[in-house]
Amino acid sequence: MRLALTIQTPEVPVPVPVALLSGTLEEKLQKAARMGANGVEFITTEPASLDVPALRDQLNQHDLLAAAVASGGMAFAAKLTLLNPDPSNAALARKRLNELIALAAALGSQVVTIGSFRGRSVENKERSLHQLAGILHQAGDFAAGYGVEIALEPLNRFEGDLLNNVEQGLAFLKELNHPAVGLLVDTFHVNIEEASWTEPFRQAMAAQKLFHIHLGDNNRLPPGKGLIDFDAILRTLRAIGYTGWLSAELLGKPDPDTAGRQTIDHMTHLMKAIA
Ligand code: LER
Ligand code: MN
Protein backbone atom coordinates (compact mmCIF):
# COMPACT_ATOMS: atom_id res chain seq x y z
CA MET A 1 0.00 0.00 0.00
CA ARG A 2 1.23 3.47 -0.83
CA LEU A 3 0.43 6.85 0.66
CA ALA A 4 -0.64 9.91 -1.34
CA LEU A 5 -1.68 13.47 -0.60
CA THR A 6 -4.38 15.17 -2.65
CA ILE A 7 -3.33 18.52 -4.12
CA GLN A 8 -4.96 20.98 -6.51
CA THR A 9 -3.28 22.14 -9.70
CA PRO A 10 -2.72 25.88 -10.25
CA GLU A 11 -5.54 26.50 -12.74
CA VAL A 12 -8.28 25.47 -10.27
CA PRO A 13 -10.05 28.80 -9.70
CA VAL A 14 -10.83 28.50 -5.97
CA PRO A 15 -9.23 26.78 -2.98
CA VAL A 16 -10.67 23.27 -2.58
CA PRO A 17 -11.19 22.59 1.15
CA VAL A 18 -9.98 18.99 0.94
CA ALA A 19 -6.83 19.74 -1.07
CA LEU A 20 -3.59 19.60 0.94
CA LEU A 21 -0.28 21.47 0.87
CA SER A 22 0.38 25.15 0.17
CA GLY A 23 2.52 27.02 -2.34
CA THR A 24 3.26 26.58 -6.01
CA LEU A 25 2.85 23.20 -7.65
CA GLU A 26 6.61 22.69 -7.42
CA GLU A 27 6.54 23.56 -3.70
CA LYS A 28 3.64 21.17 -3.10
CA LEU A 29 5.49 18.32 -4.80
CA GLN A 30 8.65 19.09 -2.86
CA LYS A 31 6.71 19.11 0.41
CA ALA A 32 4.87 15.86 -0.39
CA ALA A 33 8.18 14.14 -1.11
CA ARG A 34 9.86 15.52 2.02
CA MET A 35 6.92 14.43 4.17
CA GLY A 36 7.38 10.88 2.89
CA ALA A 37 4.41 10.53 0.54
CA ASN A 38 4.76 8.04 -2.32
CA GLY A 39 2.51 10.03 -4.61
CA VAL A 40 -0.02 12.78 -5.11
CA GLU A 41 -3.61 12.81 -6.30
CA PHE A 42 -4.37 15.72 -8.61
CA ILE A 43 -7.52 17.83 -8.38
CA THR A 44 -7.76 19.65 -11.70
CA THR A 45 -10.45 21.59 -13.55
CA GLU A 46 -8.64 22.13 -16.88
CA PRO A 47 -6.73 18.89 -17.48
CA ALA A 48 -5.94 19.78 -21.09
CA SER A 49 -4.24 23.03 -19.97
CA LEU A 50 -1.57 21.28 -17.90
CA ASP A 51 1.97 20.96 -19.18
CA VAL A 52 2.12 17.18 -18.93
CA PRO A 53 5.79 16.59 -19.87
CA ALA A 54 6.86 19.23 -17.31
CA LEU A 55 4.61 17.69 -14.67
CA ARG A 56 5.98 14.23 -15.38
CA ASP A 57 9.51 15.58 -15.00
CA GLN A 58 8.63 17.24 -11.71
CA LEU A 59 7.11 14.00 -10.38
CA ASN A 60 10.22 12.08 -11.42
CA GLN A 61 12.54 14.64 -9.83
CA HIS A 62 10.75 14.23 -6.52
CA ASP A 63 10.41 10.46 -6.87
CA LEU A 64 6.63 10.75 -6.66
CA LEU A 65 3.92 8.85 -8.54
CA ALA A 66 0.56 10.14 -9.76
CA ALA A 67 -1.75 8.21 -7.46
CA ALA A 68 -4.96 9.34 -9.13
CA VAL A 69 -6.59 12.11 -11.10
CA ALA A 70 -9.59 13.39 -9.16
CA SER A 71 -12.77 14.90 -10.57
CA GLY A 72 -13.99 16.53 -7.35
CA GLY A 73 -12.78 19.96 -8.46
CA MET A 74 -14.97 19.75 -11.56
CA ALA A 75 -18.08 19.75 -9.39
CA PHE A 76 -16.81 22.00 -6.60
CA ALA A 77 -14.83 24.63 -8.49
CA ALA A 78 -15.98 24.42 -12.13
CA LYS A 79 -19.62 23.56 -11.30
CA LEU A 80 -19.73 20.78 -13.89
CA THR A 81 -21.56 17.49 -13.32
CA LEU A 82 -22.16 14.46 -15.52
CA LEU A 83 -25.90 14.34 -14.74
CA ASN A 84 -26.44 18.09 -14.86
CA PRO A 85 -29.95 18.97 -16.07
CA ASP A 86 -28.37 21.62 -18.32
CA PRO A 87 -27.31 19.63 -21.42
CA SER A 88 -24.39 21.93 -22.24
CA ASN A 89 -23.02 21.57 -18.69
CA ALA A 90 -23.37 17.76 -18.84
CA ALA A 91 -21.75 17.62 -22.29
CA LEU A 92 -18.78 19.66 -21.10
CA ALA A 93 -18.51 17.45 -18.02
CA ARG A 94 -18.32 14.35 -20.23
CA LYS A 95 -15.66 15.97 -22.38
CA ARG A 96 -13.71 16.83 -19.22
CA LEU A 97 -14.03 13.25 -18.00
CA ASN A 98 -12.29 12.05 -21.15
CA GLU A 99 -9.60 14.68 -20.57
CA LEU A 100 -9.11 13.45 -16.99
CA ILE A 101 -8.68 9.91 -18.32
CA ALA A 102 -6.15 11.04 -20.92
CA LEU A 103 -4.28 13.00 -18.24
CA ALA A 104 -4.18 9.99 -15.92
CA ALA A 105 -2.71 7.87 -18.70
CA ALA A 106 -0.14 10.54 -19.58
CA LEU A 107 0.94 10.80 -15.93
CA GLY A 108 1.08 7.03 -15.46
CA SER A 109 -1.82 7.02 -13.02
CA GLN A 110 -4.19 4.08 -13.05
CA VAL A 111 -7.22 5.80 -11.55
CA VAL A 112 -9.70 8.58 -12.28
CA THR A 113 -12.14 9.21 -9.43
CA ILE A 114 -15.83 10.06 -9.74
CA GLY A 115 -17.49 11.29 -6.57
CA SER A 116 -19.53 14.48 -6.57
CA PHE A 117 -18.73 14.94 -10.28
CA ARG A 118 -21.59 12.57 -11.13
CA GLY A 119 -24.11 15.10 -9.82
CA ARG A 120 -27.48 14.40 -8.22
CA SER A 121 -30.59 12.65 -9.47
CA VAL A 122 -32.87 14.63 -11.72
CA GLU A 123 -36.54 13.97 -10.79
CA ASN A 124 -36.27 10.17 -10.78
CA LYS A 125 -33.41 8.28 -9.07
CA GLU A 126 -33.75 5.14 -11.15
CA ARG A 127 -33.66 7.05 -14.40
CA SER A 128 -30.62 9.04 -13.24
CA LEU A 129 -28.80 5.84 -12.25
CA HIS A 130 -29.62 4.39 -15.65
CA GLN A 131 -28.23 7.50 -17.30
CA LEU A 132 -25.14 7.35 -15.09
CA ALA A 133 -24.63 3.71 -16.08
CA GLY A 134 -24.68 4.70 -19.76
CA ILE A 135 -22.13 7.47 -19.19
CA LEU A 136 -19.85 5.20 -17.15
CA HIS A 137 -20.03 2.38 -19.66
CA GLN A 138 -18.82 4.70 -22.40
CA ALA A 139 -16.21 6.26 -20.12
CA GLY A 140 -15.12 2.77 -19.04
CA ASP A 141 -14.50 1.81 -22.67
CA PHE A 142 -12.58 5.05 -23.21
CA ALA A 143 -10.54 4.50 -20.02
CA ALA A 144 -9.79 0.86 -20.85
CA GLY A 145 -8.30 2.02 -24.15
CA TYR A 146 -5.81 4.05 -22.10
CA GLY A 147 -5.21 1.35 -19.49
CA VAL A 148 -6.95 3.53 -16.89
CA GLU A 149 -9.70 2.62 -14.41
CA ILE A 150 -12.61 4.66 -13.11
CA ALA A 151 -13.24 4.59 -9.36
CA LEU A 152 -16.80 5.52 -8.47
CA GLU A 153 -17.15 6.82 -4.92
CA PRO A 154 -20.16 6.19 -2.70
CA LEU A 155 -20.90 9.57 -1.09
CA ASN A 156 -22.58 10.26 2.22
CA ARG A 157 -26.25 11.27 2.13
CA PHE A 158 -25.50 14.95 2.73
CA GLU A 159 -23.31 15.18 -0.37
CA GLY A 160 -25.07 12.90 -2.82
CA ASP A 161 -28.33 11.04 -3.41
CA LEU A 162 -27.04 8.40 -5.83
CA LEU A 163 -25.06 5.51 -4.28
CA ASN A 164 -24.37 6.31 -0.64
CA ASN A 165 -22.68 3.11 0.48
CA VAL A 166 -20.54 0.25 -0.76
CA GLU A 167 -23.43 -2.23 -0.99
CA GLN A 168 -25.34 0.12 -3.31
CA GLY A 169 -22.18 0.84 -5.25
CA LEU A 170 -21.44 -2.86 -5.78
CA ALA A 171 -25.04 -3.59 -6.86
CA PHE A 172 -24.80 -0.75 -9.38
CA LEU A 173 -21.45 -2.02 -10.68
CA LYS A 174 -22.74 -5.58 -10.98
CA GLU A 175 -25.48 -4.29 -13.25
CA LEU A 176 -23.01 -2.06 -15.14
CA ASN A 177 -20.64 -4.99 -15.62
CA HIS A 178 -17.58 -3.11 -16.85
CA PRO A 179 -14.10 -4.31 -15.84
CA ALA A 180 -12.63 -0.80 -15.94
CA VAL A 181 -15.19 0.67 -13.51
CA GLY A 182 -14.85 -0.04 -9.78
CA LEU A 183 -15.16 1.68 -6.42
CA LEU A 184 -13.36 4.35 -4.46
CA VAL A 185 -14.03 3.88 -0.75
CA ASP A 186 -13.51 7.03 1.33
CA THR A 187 -13.18 6.46 5.10
CA PHE A 188 -14.98 9.76 5.80
CA HIS A 189 -18.09 8.53 3.95
CA VAL A 190 -17.73 5.05 5.49
CA ASN A 191 -18.01 6.72 8.90
CA ILE A 192 -21.42 8.17 8.03
CA GLU A 193 -23.02 5.44 5.92
CA GLU A 194 -21.59 2.07 6.93
CA ALA A 195 -22.03 -0.23 9.96
CA SER A 196 -18.42 -1.43 10.13
CA TRP A 197 -15.00 0.13 9.61
CA THR A 198 -13.74 -2.90 7.75
CA GLU A 199 -16.60 -4.83 6.06
CA PRO A 200 -17.08 -2.32 3.21
CA PHE A 201 -13.43 -2.79 2.23
CA ARG A 202 -13.78 -6.59 2.43
CA GLN A 203 -16.94 -6.54 0.31
CA ALA A 204 -15.44 -4.29 -2.36
CA MET A 205 -12.28 -6.40 -2.47
CA ALA A 206 -14.25 -9.68 -2.66
CA ALA A 207 -16.03 -8.25 -5.71
CA GLN A 208 -12.61 -7.27 -7.16
CA LYS A 209 -13.81 -3.68 -7.22
CA LEU A 210 -11.65 -1.97 -4.58
CA PHE A 211 -9.85 0.38 -6.98
CA HIS A 212 -8.91 3.30 -4.71
CA ILE A 213 -9.14 4.59 -1.11
CA HIS A 214 -9.52 8.10 0.31
CA LEU A 215 -8.37 8.81 3.86
CA GLY A 216 -10.00 11.26 6.23
CA ASP A 217 -11.07 10.83 9.84
CA ASN A 218 -14.72 11.09 10.93
CA ASN A 219 -14.35 14.87 11.36
CA ARG A 220 -12.44 15.00 8.06
CA LEU A 221 -9.22 15.78 9.90
CA PRO A 222 -6.06 13.69 9.40
CA PRO A 223 -6.22 10.03 10.48
CA GLY A 224 -5.62 9.86 14.22
CA LYS A 225 -7.35 13.18 14.92
CA GLY A 226 -10.79 11.62 15.16
CA LEU A 227 -12.54 8.37 15.97
CA ILE A 228 -12.01 6.07 12.99
CA ASP A 229 -10.10 2.86 13.71
CA PHE A 230 -7.43 3.18 11.00
CA ASP A 231 -5.41 0.41 12.62
CA ALA A 232 -8.28 -2.05 12.03
CA ILE A 233 -8.75 -0.77 8.48
CA LEU A 234 -5.05 -1.16 7.66
CA ARG A 235 -4.91 -4.67 9.14
CA THR A 236 -7.95 -5.63 7.08
CA LEU A 237 -6.50 -4.13 3.90
CA ARG A 238 -3.30 -6.05 4.44
CA ALA A 239 -5.22 -9.26 5.15
CA ILE A 240 -7.32 -8.98 1.97
CA GLY A 241 -4.28 -8.14 -0.15
CA TYR A 242 -5.06 -4.54 -1.10
CA THR A 243 -1.95 -3.09 -2.74
CA GLY A 244 -3.36 0.19 -4.05
CA TRP A 245 -3.30 3.77 -2.84
CA LEU A 246 -4.30 5.34 0.45
CA SER A 247 -4.86 8.90 -0.62
CA ALA A 248 -5.48 11.65 1.92
CA GLU A 249 -8.42 13.85 0.95
CA LEU A 250 -9.22 15.87 4.03
CA LEU A 251 -9.52 19.34 5.50
CA GLY A 252 -6.35 21.39 5.57
CA LYS A 253 -6.61 22.12 9.30
CA PRO A 254 -4.90 23.59 11.23
CA ASP A 255 -3.27 24.35 7.86
CA PRO A 256 -2.83 22.32 4.65
CA ASP A 257 0.85 21.51 5.29
CA THR A 258 0.40 20.40 8.91
CA ALA A 259 -2.59 18.26 7.91
CA GLY A 260 -0.48 16.60 5.20
CA ARG A 261 2.41 15.95 7.57
CA GLN A 262 0.17 14.61 10.35
CA THR A 263 -1.50 12.23 7.89
CA ILE A 264 1.76 10.80 6.57
CA ASP A 265 3.30 10.54 10.06
CA HIS A 266 0.30 8.77 11.57
CA MET A 267 -0.29 6.38 8.66
CA THR A 268 3.42 5.54 8.40
CA HIS A 269 3.49 4.79 12.12
CA LEU A 270 0.45 2.48 11.84
CA MET A 271 1.78 0.75 8.73
CA LYS A 272 5.16 0.08 10.38
CA ALA A 273 3.44 -1.36 13.43
CA ILE A 274 1.65 -4.02 11.37
CA ALA A 275 4.48 -4.76 8.94
C1 LER B 1 -16.30 14.59 -1.43
O1 LER B 1 -16.77 14.53 -0.13
C2 LER B 1 -15.34 13.52 -1.75
O2 LER B 1 -15.11 12.62 -0.97
C3 LER B 1 -14.68 13.61 -3.05
O3 LER B 1 -13.83 12.53 -3.27
C4 LER B 1 -15.79 13.72 -4.08
O4 LER B 1 -15.42 13.98 -5.33
MN1 MN C 1 -13.40 11.28 -1.30
Side-chain angles (χ1 to χ4, degrees):
M1 284 178 275
R2 290 174 293 190
L3 291 172
L5 298 174
T6 296
I7 60 173
Q8 67 183 86
T9 48
E11 90 291 357
V12 179
V14 293
V16 177
V18 291
L20 294 167
L21 306 183
S22 62
T24 63
L25 187 55
E26 169 59 24
E27 285 165 344
K28 288 178 187 178
L29 295 176
Q30 197 177 71
K31 286 177 186 177
R34 283 195 184 149
M35 287 174 190
N38 308 110
V40 287
E41 175 169 330
F42 292 103
I43 294 178
T44 169
T45 48
E46 300 275 351
S49 76
L50 298 174
D51 182 347
V52 173
L55 195 46
R56 250 193 332 236
D57 281 352
Q58 282 174 296
L59 286 169
N60 284 339
Q61 269 167 29
H62 295 294
D63 203 15
L64 290 169
L65 296 169
V69 172
S71 61
M74 294 291 179
F76 179 80
K79 308 290 176 209
L80 295 173
T81 50
L82 296 167
L83 295 174
N84 202 289
D86 170 1
S88 63
N89 182 301
L92 186 54
R94 290 172 74 164
K95 180 171 176 281
R96 287 278 196 273
L97 175 54
N98 288 347
E99 291 172 8
L100 292 172
I101 291 165
L103 175 66
L107 293 177
S109 161
Q110 185 130 9
V111 172
V112 169
T113 72
I114 298 187
S116 35
F117 185 41
R118 61 181 171 276
R120 287 177 177 266
S121 68
V122 184
E123 286 166 31
N124 177 308
K125 259 192 199 180
E126 228 165 278
R127 212 172 321 131
S128 294
L129 280 174
H130 184 72
Q131 203 190 339
L132 181 64
I135 293 168
L136 292 181
H137 216 282
Q138 261 192 7
D141 286 346
F142 188 77
Y146 278 95
V148 168
E149 295 177 329
I150 293 174
L152 181 63
E153 181 179 33
L155 291 175
N156 76 70
R157 68 193 71 184
F158 308 107
E159 295 185 52
D161 66 345
L162 296 171
L163 311 175
N164 298 123
N165 61 36
V166 166
E167 190 182 348
Q168 292 165 4
L170 288 177
F172 175 81
L173 290 182
K174 198 169 179 193
E175 200 57 24
L176 180 75
N177 192 24
H178 198 299
V181 187
L183 287 188
L184 153 54
V185 181
D186 182 327
T187 57
F188 172 72
H189 299 300
V190 165
N191 165 67
I192 297 172
E193 297 296 343
E194 307 285 354
S196 156
W197 296 131
T198 51
E199 272 312 298
F201 294 99
R202 282 187 189 281
Q203 283 164 8
M205 193 69 179
Q208 297 185 309
K209 290 294 185 189
L210 186 55
F211 283 11
H212 195 58
I213 292 176
H214 276 167
L215 297 175
D217 218 320
N218 66 296
N219 42 19
R220 227 166 196 177
L221 293 178
K225 300 294 173 191
L227 300 168
I228 294 183
D229 190 346
F230 284 98
D231 183 51
I233 291 174
L234 275 183
R235 286 176 193 275
T236 297
L237 292 175
R238 193 187 57 171
I240 62 179
Y242 178 74
T243 54
W245 287 96
L246 301 170
S247 189
E249 186 211 43
L250 46 89
L251 297 172
K253 290 182 178 177
D255 63 75
D257 294 339
T258 304
R261 190 175 314 107
Q262 287 176 340
T263 298
I264 299 290
D265 287 352
H266 189 68
M267 293 308 294
T268 305
H269 171 75
L270 290 182
M271 285 162 88
K272 274 194 186 141
I274 64 165

